[in-house]
Amino acid sequence: MTSDGSAGTLLDLAPAADELRRVAAGVGSEDMEGRTPCSDWTVRMLVGHILELAAAFRAAADKQPLDPDEAAAEIDDGGAWHDELDARLARLVTAWRRPPAWAGPGQGGRRPQAAPAPGPCARARDPAARPG
């Protein structure tokens, strides 16, 4: 809680979004069928998952059900997904900067959920820091 009694912004997602943009900028169409550290996932699958989660977490912040059309992620080989990722991350960051996102029950994408608290799903940390 802030001194005025509002929930306030508990976690700024902008640094994480910026780091994700930086990493994604190095991914080209030739990489899409490559493997990831998630052994059963290709780069294309992981990019699609990230796009879908960005939409779901934005919907959760806005306390709205996830629109299936917004959740759908088309990953073309032309690289238009970079623009879509940038747009979804911008909406996500903006949504979670609004204090109401952090208070009261929400939709959580497809299911009703309690208000979020920073935890294992989202942690503020220096993107340059290495686990140790």
Side-chain angles (χ1 to χ4, degrees), residues 12 14-15 23 29 35 39 41 49 75 79 86 91-93 121:
D12 184 7
V23 171
S29 58
R35 304 311 296 173
S39 62
W41 293 55
H49 184 62
I75 312 301
D86 187 53
R91 289 191 299 267
L92 173 73
V93 168
C121 191

Side-chain angles (χ1 to χ4, degrees), residues 29-36 38 41-46:
S29 58
E30 68 280 2
D31 301 313
M32 294 312 254
E33 300 313 315
R35 304 311 296 173
T36 70
C38 304
W41 293 55
T42 64
V43 172
R44 181 182 311 277
M45 293 165 67
L46 188 57

Side-chain angles (χ1 to χ4, degrees), residues 74 87 97 112 127:
E74 293 295 323
R97 283 185 171 159

Side-chain angles (χ1 to χ4, degrees), residues 45-111:
M45 293 165 67
L46 188 57
V47 167
H49 184 62
I50 290 168
L51 287 168
E52 291 168 4
L53 284 178
F57 283 118
R58 193 268 327 136
D62 289 341
K63 306 205 184 310
Q64 297 294 319
L66 179 61
D67 178 344
D69 291 334
E70 182 185 5
E74 293 295 323
I75 312 301
D76 66 357
D77 287 336
W81 65 267
H82 285 102
D83 294 334
E84 183 63 22
L85 177 65
D86 187 53
R88 288 185 186 207
L89 290 175
R91 289 191 299 267
L92 173 73
V93 168
T94 298
W96 283 101
R97 283 185 171 159
R98 293 185 208 109
W102 297 96
Q107 195 52 38
R110 292 190 172 97
R111 295 183 293 260

